[in-house]
């Protein structure tokens, strides 16, 4: 990892943690979230997916994400998504999925967000509680 990439990643994580306190008071988010890791170049995992569980097809692309959790098992992800279409799109929770360390795949809590054509946005999404960490976040084009 280059020094520049490390500094950008560290600043991104620090910025989120500092903002987390103010957000937690407004939205009742759990306190004590810590950064597990920042992901700019995701690794491939090959867990069996016999039931073919996948996110809905969409025009959204994951640019990068930061995995967060606390001791109670809350799983959050701060993600930057890009609308690859030229037209407006609405992101829905079914458009993205997390792969957990036990091989389970789940969508986040219900959420929607409007994107302009070719727009990128960063936001936090909640994946509930789990004793297993999130390994990967992905969409399907």
């Amino acid at each position: 990892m280059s020094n520049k990439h490390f500094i950008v990643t560290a600043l991104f994580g620090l910025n989120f943690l500092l903002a987390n306190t103010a957000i937690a008071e407004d939205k009742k988010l759990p306190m004590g979230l810590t950064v597990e890791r920042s992901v700019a170049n995701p690794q491939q995992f090959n867990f069996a997916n016999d039931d073919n569980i996948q996110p809905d097809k969409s025009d959204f692309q994951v640019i990068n994400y930061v995995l967060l959790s606390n001791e109670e098992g809350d799983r959050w992800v701060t993600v930057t998504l890009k609308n690859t279409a030229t037209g407006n799109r609405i992101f829905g929770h079914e458009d993205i999925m997390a792969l957990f360390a036990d091989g389970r795949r789940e969508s986040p809590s219900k959420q929607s967000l409007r994107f302009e054509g070719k727009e990128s946005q960063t936001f936090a999404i909640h994946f509930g509680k789990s004793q297993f960490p999130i390994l990967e976040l992905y969409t399907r084009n």
Side-chain angles (χ1 to χ4, degrees):
M1 178 182 315
S2 72
N3 285 341
K4 182 178 178 184
H5 181 260
F6 176 78
I7 291 170
V8 169
T9 301
L11 289 174
F12 181 84
L14 180 61
N15 186 31
F16 179 81
L17 288 175
L18 292 174
N20 187 37
T21 303
I23 293 170
E25 290 175 10
D26 291 342
K27 296 188 177 182
K28 304 295 184 228
L29 295 178
M31 293 302 293
L33 289 174
T34 58
V35 174
E36 291 181 10
R37 66 185 173 110
S38 176
V39 181
N41 297 316
Q43 300 173 354
Q44 287 286 350
F45 296 97
N46 294 308
F47 285 99
N49 189 5
D50 296 335
D51 295 329
N52 197 27
I53 299 170
Q54 298 181 35
D56 287 351
K57 285 189 176 181
S58 71
D59 292 313
F60 296 105
Q61 176 186 10
V62 174
I63 303 301
N64 58 50
Y65 55 96
V66 177
L67 303 172
L68 303 126
S69 65
N70 64 17
E71 290 183 14
E72 289 79 41
D74 285 298
R75 304 295 173 194
W76 286 83
V77 178
T78 298
V79 61
T80 301
L81 284 183
K82 180 177 183 172
N83 172 11
T84 60
T86 55
N88 296 347
R89 296 290 185 269
I90 296 178
F91 163 81
H93 70 281
E94 64 280 342
D95 294 327
I96 198 163
M97 195 161 277
L99 174 65
F100 287 79
D102 62 353
R104 178 173 37 101
R105 292 161 170 82
E106 290 192 18
S107 291
S109 301
K110 193 169 187 174
Q111 181 170 354
S112 66
L113 190 63
R114 185 175 182 74
F115 281 74
E116 300 292 324
K118 301 293 183 183
E119 180 183 17
S120 294
Q121 292 188 47
T122 301
F123 55 98
I125 49 181
H126 185 235
F127 283 89
K129 289 183 183 268
S130 175
Q131 72 182 38
F132 293 96
I134 295 172
L135 297 177
E136 181 181 4
L137 190 70
Y138 59 97
T139 57
R140 184 170 66 127
N141 298 65

